[in-house]
């Protein structure tokens, strides 16, 4: 069965000598079983995330009532973390990596996106640009602030606040929330996939509305509205942090330079994996193997580790870098990328 590639934007650039070899690498990965879909695993993971998050939120309420709000905060963050791990399921299905057929992947992507309160078609539109034009100036839409000269800060703390905890709208810093991402992707859906907009808007309203009602019922008061907003804030912090170190401070190319690079060269020079054990795999859902994902976007997340040794050997043979480092090392490099300690050089958050 062919993977769901209908909505994927092909990687752009010169064909290069590695183009034919990439087909051989794909055949090697297929022989190793790396493209095998496991729908049952996706469903089980969805149920685990939802049940785990609900239990964590109830435990947070009990801890807050028994001791203090601060006692319940870690459990609340855990609940939001588990809930937003469903984003990896939406991501996998949108790339065609969860189910054998195109329509099944689309339906599962729509289900998980609706639960999260996201527009799958709009999200896919922007995300495909990132895959096709990774770190290409003005054409990679995922991390535009890296090219904004005003997003420079005087310290790591100010950079963390300005990049991860807050976002800037029309020059004003406001708390980052996934609601802003839904608005952005809703705009993309309206502009580029208008035939799907009404259905996806309804799913978004149901998803966000259900989350809001849950927190109001959990607290028994309108304090639940604040908890809902905090919940979306934690989700945005998680998402911003998860992918920050995969590309951010690596090489950047102009569109003209990128057109001279083959797909393998562009991806290997602009993409970094995270190293780590089981906790890294759990937190990042398998997408810590980011280069493997960028070379084969429809390769299921749970097989990226299996594909990694083959990809590493392939990249090394072609004399290209295989970037990898611990997550916190990458995270600090992102902050340092935006630190300009010179007095008056740029505004701080």
């Amino acid at each position: 069965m062919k993977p769901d590639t209908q909505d994927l934007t092909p990687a752009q650039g010169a064909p290069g000598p590695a183009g034919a070899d990439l087909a051989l690498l794909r055949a090697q990965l297929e022989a190793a079983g790396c493209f095998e879909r496991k729908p049952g695993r996706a469903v089980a993971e969805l149920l685990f995330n939802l049940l785990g998050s609900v239990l964590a939120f109830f435990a947070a309420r009990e801890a807050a009532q028994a001791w203090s709000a601060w006692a319940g905060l870690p459990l609340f963050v855990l609940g939001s973390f588990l809930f937003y791990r469903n984003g990896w399921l939406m991501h996998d299905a949108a790339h065609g990596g969860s189910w054998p057929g195109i329509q099944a992947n689309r339906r599962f992507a729509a289900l998980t996106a609706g639960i999260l309160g996201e527009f799958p078609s709009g999200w896919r539109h922007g995300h495909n640009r990132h895959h096709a034009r990774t770190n290409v100036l003005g054409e990679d839409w995922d991390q535009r602030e890296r090219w904004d000269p005003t997003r420079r800060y005087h310290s790591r703390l100010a950079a963390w606040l300005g990049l991860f905890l807050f976002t800037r709208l029309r020059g004003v810093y406001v708390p980052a929330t996934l609601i802003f991402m839904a608005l952005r992707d809703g705009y993309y859906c309206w502009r580029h996939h208008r035939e799907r907009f009404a259905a996806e808007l309804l799913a978004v309203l149901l998803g966000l509305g259900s989350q809001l009602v849950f927190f109001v019922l959990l607290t028994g008061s309108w304090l639940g509205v604040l908890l809902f907003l905090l919940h979306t804030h934690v989700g945005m912090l998680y998402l911003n942090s998860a992918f920050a170190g995969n590309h951010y401070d690596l090489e950047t190319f102009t569109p003209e330079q990128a057109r001279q690079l083959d797909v393998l060269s562009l991806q290997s020079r602009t993409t970094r994996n995270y190293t780590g054990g089981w906790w890294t795999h759990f937190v990042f859902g398998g997408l810590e193997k980011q280069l493997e994902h960028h070379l084969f976007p429809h390769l299921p997340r749970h097989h990226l580790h299996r594909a990694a040794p083959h990809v590493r050997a392939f990249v090394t043979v072609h004399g290209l870098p295989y970037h990898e480092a611990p997550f916190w090392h990458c995270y600090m490099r992102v902050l340092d990328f935006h630190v300009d300690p010179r007095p008056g050089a740029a505004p701080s958050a």
Side-chain angles (χ1 to χ4, degrees):
M1 180 73 69
K2 292 291 185 182
D4 179 2
T5 57
Q6 181 171 332
D7 291 314
L8 294 180
T9 302
Q12 300 173 25
D21 290 348
L22 271 175
L24 296 177
L25 176 60
R26 178 190 168 87
Q28 185 179 6
L29 296 179
E30 286 180 336
C34 294
F35 285 92
E36 178 189 4
R37 272 71 171 167
K38 294 186 176 180
R41 181 186 180 121
V43 173
E45 189 173 351
L46 175 62
L47 295 175
F48 170 83
N49 292 337
L50 292 176
L51 179 60
S53 63
V54 168
L55 292 176
F57 287 135
F58 275 105
R61 184 188 66 179
E62 297 304 312
Q65 292 176 348
W67 294 290
S68 69
W70 292 109
L73 183 60
L75 288 167
F76 177 86
V77 172
L78 174 62
S80 296
F81 161 72
L82 291 172
F83 179 83
Y84 284 113
R85 285 188 78 251
N86 290 316
W88 309 147
L89 297 173
M90 183 195 78
H91 177 277
D92 222 19
H95 277 299
S98 296
W99 301 75
I102 291 176
Q103 293 305 318
N105 275 297
R106 280 193 177 173
R107 284 192 288 268
F108 195 69
L111 171 64
T112 48
I115 290 172
L116 293 167
E118 176 60 287
F119 290 82
S121 297
W123 174 85
R124 188 188 295 112
H125 179 82
H127 188 66
N128 287 347
R129 290 291 297 263
H130 166 64
H131 269 271
R133 308 297 281 163
T134 310
N135 282 19
V136 178
L137 181 62
E139 297 184 2
D140 182 348
W141 293 355
D142 266 17
Q143 295 169 142
R144 293 177 174 179
E145 69 275 6
R146 64 166 290 159
W147 294 299
D148 184 349
T150 67
R151 301 292 286 272
R152 300 296 182 266
Y153 308 89
H154 298 306
S155 67
R156 280 181 172 177
L157 176 60
W160 181 74
L161 291 172
L163 295 172
F164 296 105
L165 208 59
F166 291 86
T167 190
R168 201 172 67 171
L169 296 176
R170 299 185 181 275
V172 178
Y173 282 92
V174 295
T177 167
L178 282 173
I179 295 175
F180 292 147
M181 179 172 287
L183 292 174
R184 181 202 69 181
D185 293 337
Y187 170 76
Y188 288 158
C189 183
W190 172 257
R191 282 290 305 274
H192 303 285
H193 300 280
R194 194 164 300 184
E195 73 283 358
R196 304 177 189 172
F197 179 76
E200 293 189 10
L201 175 61
L202 178 60
V204 166
L205 294 176
L206 287 173
L208 293 178
S210 297
Q211 294 174 50
L212 176 59
V213 168
F214 171 81
F215 285 111
V216 170
L217 293 177
L218 182 71
T219 60
S221 71
W222 287 104
L223 177 62
V225 176
L226 297 179
L227 287 183
F228 165 69
L229 294 175
L230 178 60
H231 168 64
T232 65
H233 184 50
V234 172
M236 194 71 230
L237 177 61
Y238 177 27
L239 181 63
N240 275 345
S241 299
F243 293 117
N246 290 136
H247 310 282
Y248 212 98
D249 59 303
L250 295 176
E251 292 183 80
T252 301
F253 300 98
T254 65
E256 294 73 20
Q257 291 171 329
R259 281 193 286 270
Q260 304 304 313
L261 298 174
D262 59 62
V263 173
L264 178 65
S265 296
L266 177 64
Q267 297 301 337
S268 67
R269 292 170 65 177
T270 61
T271 305
R272 180 195 287 121
N273 292 352
Y274 299 145
T275 59
W278 66 269
W279 76 270
T280 304
H281 183 71
F282 180 71
V283 170
F284 303 110
L287 291 170
E288 68 276 8
K289 298 300 184 184
Q290 191 72 187
L291 177 57
E292 287 72 17
H293 171 60
H294 266 249
L295 289 177
F296 301 101
H298 43 275
L299 197 156
R301 284 180 303 118
H302 53 273
H303 289 319
L304 291 173
H305 275 77
R306 185 189 299 185
H310 301 280
V311 173
R312 178 197 287 273
F314 179 80
V315 168
T316 302
V317 164
H318 285 83
L320 292 167
Y322 187 87
H323 296 291
E324 59 179 349
F327 168 73
W328 286 112
H329 172 79
C330 302
Y331 201 69
M332 291 300 105
R333 290 191 61 167
V334 171
L335 297 180
D336 290 340
F337 181 89
H338 284 271
V339 170
D340 187 345
R342 293 174 298 167
S348 294

